[in-house]
Short mmCIF file of all heavy atoms in Angstrom, two decimals:
data_model
loop_
_atom_site.label_atom_id
_atom_site.label_comp_id
_atom_site.label_asym_id
_atom_site.label_seq_id
_atom_site.Cartn_x
_atom_site.Cartn_y
_atom_site.Cartn_z
N TYR A 1 -24.29 -16.63 -15.64
CA TYR A 1 -23.47 -15.65 -16.28
C TYR A 1 -22.00 -16.20 -16.33
O TYR A 1 -21.56 -16.90 -15.51
CB TYR A 1 -23.51 -14.33 -15.49
CG TYR A 1 -24.87 -13.69 -15.46
CD1 TYR A 1 -25.70 -13.79 -14.36
CD2 TYR A 1 -25.39 -13.09 -16.69
CE1 TYR A 1 -26.94 -13.16 -14.37
CE2 TYR A 1 -26.62 -12.51 -16.70
CZ TYR A 1 -27.42 -12.54 -15.51
OH TYR A 1 -28.64 -11.99 -15.59
N ASP A 2 -21.34 -15.76 -17.33
CA ASP A 2 -19.93 -15.99 -17.49
C ASP A 2 -19.26 -14.64 -17.23
O ASP A 2 -19.02 -13.85 -18.12
CB ASP A 2 -19.60 -16.52 -18.89
CG ASP A 2 -18.12 -16.93 -19.01
OD1 ASP A 2 -17.36 -16.75 -18.01
OD2 ASP A 2 -17.67 -17.30 -20.15
N ARG A 3 -18.93 -14.39 -15.94
CA ARG A 3 -18.36 -13.09 -15.52
C ARG A 3 -16.99 -12.87 -16.11
O ARG A 3 -16.23 -13.84 -16.22
CB ARG A 3 -18.38 -12.96 -14.01
CG ARG A 3 -19.70 -13.32 -13.31
CD ARG A 3 -20.62 -12.14 -13.33
NE ARG A 3 -21.87 -12.49 -12.48
CZ ARG A 3 -22.90 -11.73 -12.46
NH1 ARG A 3 -23.03 -10.65 -13.16
NH2 ARG A 3 -23.89 -12.09 -11.64
N PRO A 4 -16.66 -11.65 -16.37
CA PRO A 4 -15.27 -11.34 -16.81
C PRO A 4 -14.31 -11.70 -15.63
O PRO A 4 -14.70 -11.54 -14.40
CB PRO A 4 -15.22 -9.88 -17.08
CG PRO A 4 -16.38 -9.31 -16.44
CD PRO A 4 -17.47 -10.41 -16.39
N TRP A 5 -13.13 -12.12 -15.94
CA TRP A 5 -12.11 -12.51 -14.89
C TRP A 5 -10.71 -12.20 -15.42
O TRP A 5 -10.48 -12.18 -16.63
CB TRP A 5 -12.29 -13.92 -14.48
CG TRP A 5 -12.20 -15.04 -15.62
CD1 TRP A 5 -13.10 -15.27 -16.50
CD2 TRP A 5 -10.99 -15.74 -15.91
NE1 TRP A 5 -12.61 -16.27 -17.37
CE2 TRP A 5 -11.26 -16.53 -17.08
CE3 TRP A 5 -9.69 -15.82 -15.37
CZ2 TRP A 5 -10.38 -17.38 -17.72
CZ3 TRP A 5 -8.81 -16.71 -15.99
CH2 TRP A 5 -9.13 -17.48 -17.16
N VAL A 6 -9.88 -12.02 -14.48
CA VAL A 6 -8.44 -11.79 -14.79
C VAL A 6 -7.61 -12.75 -14.10
O VAL A 6 -7.77 -13.03 -12.96
CB VAL A 6 -8.07 -10.31 -14.19
CG1 VAL A 6 -6.63 -10.00 -14.54
CG2 VAL A 6 -8.97 -9.32 -14.74
N GLU A 7 -6.63 -13.29 -14.90
CA GLU A 7 -5.77 -14.41 -14.40
C GLU A 7 -4.86 -13.76 -13.28
O GLU A 7 -4.34 -12.68 -13.45
CB GLU A 7 -4.97 -14.97 -15.53
CG GLU A 7 -4.23 -16.23 -15.08
CD GLU A 7 -3.74 -17.07 -16.29
OE1 GLU A 7 -4.22 -16.79 -17.42
OE2 GLU A 7 -2.90 -17.94 -16.06
N THR A 8 -4.69 -14.52 -12.22
CA THR A 8 -3.79 -14.03 -11.16
C THR A 8 -2.32 -14.13 -11.67
O THR A 8 -1.90 -15.17 -12.16
CB THR A 8 -3.90 -14.97 -9.89
OG1 THR A 8 -5.30 -14.99 -9.50
CG2 THR A 8 -3.03 -14.50 -8.80
N PRO A 9 -1.54 -13.00 -11.48
CA PRO A 9 -0.17 -13.05 -11.97
C PRO A 9 0.60 -14.03 -11.17
O PRO A 9 0.35 -14.31 -10.00
CB PRO A 9 0.35 -11.60 -11.77
CG PRO A 9 -0.61 -11.11 -10.73
CD PRO A 9 -1.92 -11.70 -10.95
N PRO A 10 1.58 -14.69 -11.81
CA PRO A 10 2.37 -15.69 -11.09
C PRO A 10 3.22 -15.01 -9.95
O PRO A 10 3.52 -13.79 -10.00
CB PRO A 10 3.29 -16.27 -12.16
CG PRO A 10 3.36 -15.21 -13.23
CD PRO A 10 2.02 -14.52 -13.17
N ALA A 11 3.46 -15.82 -8.92
CA ALA A 11 4.24 -15.35 -7.78
C ALA A 11 5.64 -14.99 -8.27
O ALA A 11 6.15 -15.53 -9.24
CB ALA A 11 4.37 -16.42 -6.69
N ALA A 12 6.30 -13.99 -7.59
CA ALA A 12 7.60 -13.57 -7.94
C ALA A 12 8.67 -14.76 -7.72
O ALA A 12 8.47 -15.55 -6.72
CB ALA A 12 8.07 -12.37 -7.10
N PRO A 13 9.54 -14.97 -8.66
CA PRO A 13 10.59 -15.98 -8.42
C PRO A 13 11.32 -15.71 -7.07
O PRO A 13 11.46 -14.61 -6.69
CB PRO A 13 11.54 -15.78 -9.61
CG PRO A 13 10.69 -15.04 -10.57
CD PRO A 13 9.76 -14.20 -9.86
N LEU A 14 11.77 -16.85 -6.46
CA LEU A 14 12.40 -16.71 -5.12
C LEU A 14 13.55 -15.81 -5.19
O LEU A 14 13.93 -15.10 -4.18
CB LEU A 14 12.78 -18.08 -4.64
CG LEU A 14 11.60 -18.96 -4.09
CD1 LEU A 14 12.17 -20.35 -3.68
CD2 LEU A 14 10.93 -18.26 -2.86
N GLY A 15 14.25 -15.78 -6.33
CA GLY A 15 15.48 -14.94 -6.38
C GLY A 15 15.15 -13.42 -6.31
O GLY A 15 16.10 -12.66 -5.87
N GLU A 16 13.99 -13.03 -6.51
CA GLU A 16 13.59 -11.64 -6.45
C GLU A 16 13.03 -11.22 -5.09
O GLU A 16 12.77 -10.06 -4.84
CB GLU A 16 12.61 -11.23 -7.54
CG GLU A 16 13.17 -11.47 -8.95
CD GLU A 16 12.01 -11.24 -9.98
OE1 GLU A 16 11.02 -10.54 -9.66
OE2 GLU A 16 12.15 -11.76 -11.15
N VAL A 17 12.89 -12.25 -4.19
CA VAL A 17 12.39 -11.88 -2.80
C VAL A 17 13.56 -11.39 -2.02
O VAL A 17 14.66 -11.93 -1.93
CB VAL A 17 11.73 -13.19 -2.15
CG1 VAL A 17 11.39 -12.89 -0.75
CG2 VAL A 17 10.65 -13.67 -2.91
N PRO A 18 13.35 -10.26 -1.33
CA PRO A 18 14.49 -9.67 -0.57
C PRO A 18 14.88 -10.59 0.57
O PRO A 18 14.01 -11.19 1.20
CB PRO A 18 13.94 -8.34 0.01
CG PRO A 18 12.46 -8.49 -0.08
CD PRO A 18 12.19 -9.32 -1.27
N ALA A 19 16.15 -10.70 0.92
CA ALA A 19 16.70 -11.52 1.92
C ALA A 19 16.33 -11.03 3.21
O ALA A 19 16.16 -9.77 3.42
CB ALA A 19 18.19 -11.68 1.78
N ILE A 20 16.17 -11.88 4.25
CA ILE A 20 15.78 -11.49 5.61
C ILE A 20 16.64 -12.34 6.51
O ILE A 20 16.82 -13.50 6.29
CB ILE A 20 14.31 -11.57 5.86
CG1 ILE A 20 13.89 -11.02 7.28
CG2 ILE A 20 13.85 -13.04 5.74
CD1 ILE A 20 12.30 -10.90 7.45
N GLY A 21 17.13 -11.71 7.62
CA GLY A 21 17.92 -12.47 8.58
C GLY A 21 17.09 -13.40 9.33
O GLY A 21 15.89 -13.31 9.41
N ALA A 22 17.77 -14.45 9.86
CA ALA A 22 17.05 -15.52 10.54
C ALA A 22 16.27 -15.08 11.77
O ALA A 22 15.16 -15.41 11.99
CB ALA A 22 18.01 -16.63 10.99
N ILE A 23 16.89 -14.16 12.51
CA ILE A 23 16.17 -13.64 13.75
C ILE A 23 14.97 -12.80 13.38
O ILE A 23 13.85 -12.98 13.92
CB ILE A 23 17.16 -12.86 14.68
CG1 ILE A 23 18.29 -13.76 15.17
CG2 ILE A 23 16.34 -12.28 15.86
CD1 ILE A 23 17.76 -14.98 16.02
N ASP A 24 15.10 -11.97 12.31
CA ASP A 24 14.05 -11.13 11.86
C ASP A 24 12.94 -12.01 11.34
O ASP A 24 11.78 -11.74 11.53
CB ASP A 24 14.53 -10.13 10.85
CG ASP A 24 15.41 -9.01 11.46
OD1 ASP A 24 15.26 -8.81 12.63
OD2 ASP A 24 16.13 -8.39 10.66
N GLY A 25 13.28 -13.03 10.60
CA GLY A 25 12.32 -14.03 10.10
C GLY A 25 11.58 -14.71 11.15
O GLY A 25 10.36 -14.84 11.09
N LEU A 26 12.27 -15.14 12.15
CA LEU A 26 11.64 -15.80 13.33
C LEU A 26 10.70 -14.84 14.01
O LEU A 26 9.51 -15.26 14.37
CB LEU A 26 12.71 -16.32 14.33
CG LEU A 26 12.11 -17.08 15.56
CD1 LEU A 26 11.33 -18.30 15.08
CD2 LEU A 26 13.28 -17.41 16.46
N ARG A 27 11.10 -13.55 14.22
CA ARG A 27 10.22 -12.66 14.86
C ARG A 27 8.91 -12.37 14.11
O ARG A 27 7.88 -12.22 14.57
CB ARG A 27 10.99 -11.26 15.03
CG ARG A 27 11.97 -11.23 16.18
CD ARG A 27 12.25 -9.84 16.64
NE ARG A 27 13.24 -9.73 17.64
CZ ARG A 27 14.50 -9.41 17.55
NH1 ARG A 27 14.98 -9.04 16.38
NH2 ARG A 27 15.38 -9.39 18.62
N ALA A 28 9.12 -12.28 12.71
CA ALA A 28 7.99 -12.11 11.78
C ALA A 28 6.93 -13.20 11.92
O ALA A 28 5.77 -13.02 12.02
CB ALA A 28 8.38 -11.86 10.41
#
């Protein structure tokens, strides 16, 4: 079978990722 498929959307550009502090990032 050739099953229907949906292309994965591209990842968000880095500029749109919310900033996170260094300590919070390390804890995560």
Side-chain angles (χ1 to χ4, degrees):
Y1 296 106
D2 186 0
R3 309 279 189 189
W5 57 280
V6 179
E7 192 164 344
T8 304
L14 283 177
E16 297 174 20
V17 176
I20 185 170
I23 297 301
D24 289 339
L26 183 60
R27 281 199 182 108

